[in-house]
Amino acid sequence: MSPSRVYRYLKVTMVQKSAYVTLKYVLPISSYTHYHDVYSEMKGAFISHLLYPIRYIRRKTFMSSHSATINQTKSKGGTPALLALAISAFGIGTTEFVPVGLLSSIADDLSISITLAGLLISGYAIGVAIGAPVLTALTSKMSRKSLLMSLMLLFIVGNSVAALSTSFGLLLVARFITAFSHGIFFSIGSTIAADLVPAHKRASAIAFMFTGLTVATVTGVPLGTFIGQAFGWRSTFWGVALLGVVGIIASAILVPKNLKEAPPAKFSEQLKILTNGRLMLAFAITALGYGGTFVAFTYLTPLLEDVTGFSAKWVSVILLVYGIAVAIGNVVGGKASDKNPLKALFWMFVLQAIILFALTFAAPFKVAGLIAIFLMGLFAFMNVPGLQILVVNLAEKYVPSAVNVASALNIAAFNVGIAIGSFVGGVIVDGIGLIHTPWIGSIMVAGAVVLTAWLRGIERKDA
């Protein structure tokens, strides 16, 4: 019998345990020893080949099942924690923007100019810009849940001091200190939110957390303005301190203890962020794209009263409408940025620049002005999830050990933009008038359009 015939015979009978016996009786004695060796080798190869697909299928099934379990666990366990983050973000968002509706009241009570009162917004933004990266680096070894609780405690103390302030200097210091909690909160909050959900839902998770910020714009700022006008601006800060108490309780109950902890970044790794061209470009996009709106938004109350002609009682209602637009824009921005943040951001900035420019001509007319303000609100926060996930993605790609610090620097960039926008707005108000703040803001946003297109080009080359 030829070796080829033996091979064919083995293929048929190998699956039976009697294969060895079959060969023993079929082959001549002289050939038996040789073919016994052939059989042994073929048996091992055959069984290994037969079992490989089974092992592969079992491994793939296990991996898929394990991955699905992790994703399901993230989705189920992440929602309560995201809710707690959103509640705290609501309180922080309210204290950040509520002075917009109270500038006139604070200026009159403390006998200061409206432009000086505007420093309560730009000064707060500077506090965030300084505190976010520095304190994030200093607290990198601290448990993230403990850090969240500590931040809300600082938030409560800062707003209580603001409520007790009898001078502009003390109020400004209280705002500056409170801003420290803001910077670190949104920095680590963004990374926690991203870790709580599957990878393809990260931008949406960050948008969910920032929903607290947008809901603050919808309800917190108008309600704070109403309370301040009715009972005095100090009452508003007491109310915000109470929101901090709610936030710290929510974090204690809903945020899990076993949060994924990022390894502490070495100082050399942190320096890599500042030397990475793509990340620095992203920070510049954040400052210009987000900050441009604040040239006009910081002085929205006097713009509505002095240019559009609305009475003070209507300002709270208009801020509510503005806030609704912001909330819608935030949700849309999160969904739009999930797949391609840079592409989504480019078109968001283009439309926002156009709207701000148009507001300059629409502001003197009530109906046209309200439409333009609604659209400004729609795009004002739409870019936030995309900007944050862009930086997180770039940091994970180029400086993975310093993602938290990169996120903090982006929060700083947001607030550098606010500070620049508010300061420029004040200069414009004192120089050429309120009506010119929107189109000046559109120039800042147009700068973000150019930088976003540049970064898209760089990323495409490396793709």
Side-chain angles (χ1 to χ4, degrees):
M1 184 183 290
S2 67
S4 63
R5 286 182 62 192
V6 174
Y7 176 73
R8 287 196 300 270
Y9 189 81
L10 280 173
K11 287 180 67 177
V12 175
T13 60
M14 189 72 73
V15 292
Q16 300 177 7
K17 290 184 179 180
S18 58
Y20 179 84
V21 177
T22 303
L23 278 173
K24 183 176 180 180
Y25 285 98
V26 168
L27 298 177
I29 295 299
S30 59
S31 304
Y32 171 71
T33 303
H34 170 70
Y35 286 112
H36 175 271
D37 295 337
V38 173
Y39 165 72
S40 298
E41 292 179 8
M42 292 178 66
K43 179 181 177 182
F46 176 82
I47 292 173
S48 177
H49 182 73
L50 181 67
L51 293 181
Y52 175 76
I54 297 172
R55 289 196 302 267
Y56 178 77
I57 292 169
R58 288 180 62 188
R59 184 169 69 250
K60 291 295 286 185
T61 303
F62 170 77
M63 291 174 66
S64 299
S65 174
H66 184 62
S67 178
T69 301
I70 290 174
N71 287 345
Q72 188 177 24
T73 301
K74 280 187 172 186
S75 297
K76 289 183 178 179
T79 302
L82 288 174
L83 180 62
L85 293 174
I87 291 170
S88 297
F90 174 78
I92 292 174
T94 299
T95 199
E96 179 178 21
F97 297 125
V98 78
V100 170
L102 297 174
L103 282 186
S104 299
S105 300
I106 294 172
D108 292 342
D109 184 64
L110 298 178
S111 301
I112 56 175
S113 67
I114 194 77
T115 305
L116 187 60
L119 290 177
L120 294 174
I121 296 170
S122 56
Y124 183 95
I126 292 171
V128 176
I130 294 173
V134 174
L135 295 181
T136 298
L138 292 176
T139 57
S140 62
K141 295 182 180 180
M142 192 173 179
S143 161
R144 289 204 278 184
K145 180 168 182 175
S146 299
L147 182 55
L148 282 175
M149 304 282 285
S150 302
L151 294 175
M152 294 314 295
L153 184 62
L154 178 62
F155 174 84
I156 294 166
V157 172
N159 280 287
S160 299
V161 172
L164 293 169
S165 299
T166 55
S167 66
F168 177 74
L170 182 58
L171 178 57
L172 187 60
V173 170
R175 293 278 295 165
F176 190 79
I177 293 172
T178 307
F180 288 167
S181 64
H182 178 127
I184 313 177
F185 174 84
F186 283 105
S187 138
I188 65 166
S190 295
T191 59
I192 290 172
D195 287 340
L196 287 171
V197 298
H200 66 283
K201 293 185 177 179
R202 300 179 85 189
S204 294
I206 293 174
F208 187 93
M209 182 194 72
F210 275 96
T211 297
L213 194 61
T214 57
V215 171
T217 312
V218 175
T219 58
V221 173
L223 182 60
T225 301
F226 173 78
I227 291 172
Q229 291 174 344
F231 305 102
W233 60 267
R234 291 180 179 83
S235 300
T236 299
F237 284 102
W238 281 122
V240 172
L242 183 60
L243 288 176
V245 174
V246 176
I248 199 171
I249 293 172
S251 295
I253 296 172
L254 300 177
V255 175
K257 293 181 180 179
N258 57 338
L259 289 170
K260 176 184 174 184
E261 300 294 339
K266 297 179 181 178
F267 185 71
S268 59
E269 292 294 324
Q270 296 176 30
L271 285 179
K272 285 183 181 178
I273 297 174
L274 301 178
T275 58
N276 185 281
R278 289 172 176 81
L279 279 167
M280 295 305 294
L281 201 53
F283 297 148
I285 291 169
T286 296
L288 292 175
Y290 186 72
T293 301
F294 282 82
V295 178
F297 178 69
T298 302
Y299 298 95
L300 185 59
T301 296
L303 183 72
L304 289 169
E305 293 176 355
D306 300 340
V307 177
T308 313
F310 285 101
S311 61
K313 67 179 182 180
W314 281 103
V315 171
S316 297
V317 178
I318 295 170
L319 288 175
L320 177 62
V321 173
Y322 181 89
I324 291 171
V326 165
I328 295 170
N330 181 66
V331 174
V332 173
K335 297 291 183 182
S337 301
D338 271 329
K339 293 183 179 180
N340 191 335
L342 276 172
K343 181 180 178 181
L345 287 169
F346 176 81
W347 290 109
M348 289 175 197
F349 292 141
V350 168
L351 293 172
Q352 181 69 333
I354 293 171
I355 290 163
L356 283 169
F357 185 79
L359 178 58
T360 302
F361 304 97
F365 308 97
K366 290 186 177 180
V367 175
L370 283 177
I371 293 172
I373 288 169
F374 181 87
L375 292 174
M376 182 179 78
L378 187 68
F379 287 94
F381 279 69
M382 189 180 286
N383 53 55
V384 172
L387 288 168
Q388 196 64 5
I389 198 62
L390 171 65
V391 168
V392 170
N393 287 343
L394 289 173
E396 287 179 342
K397 185 176 180 181
Y398 298 109
V399 279
S401 63
V403 174
N404 281 350
V405 178
S407 178
L409 285 170
N410 200 45
I411 297 299
F414 277 113
N415 287 274
V416 166
I418 293 173
I420 293 172
S422 300
F423 176 77
V424 170
V427 172
I428 298 302
V429 169
D430 285 343
I432 57 179
L434 276 167
I435 191 63
H436 297 283
T437 54
W439 74 263
I440 296 293
S442 73
I443 294 175
M444 283 183 65
V445 178
V449 173
V450 174
L451 295 183
T452 305
W454 185 11
L455 184 55
R456 282 183 76 190
I458 295 173
E459 288 293 294
R460 280 176 180 172
K461 288 179 180 178
D462 293 345

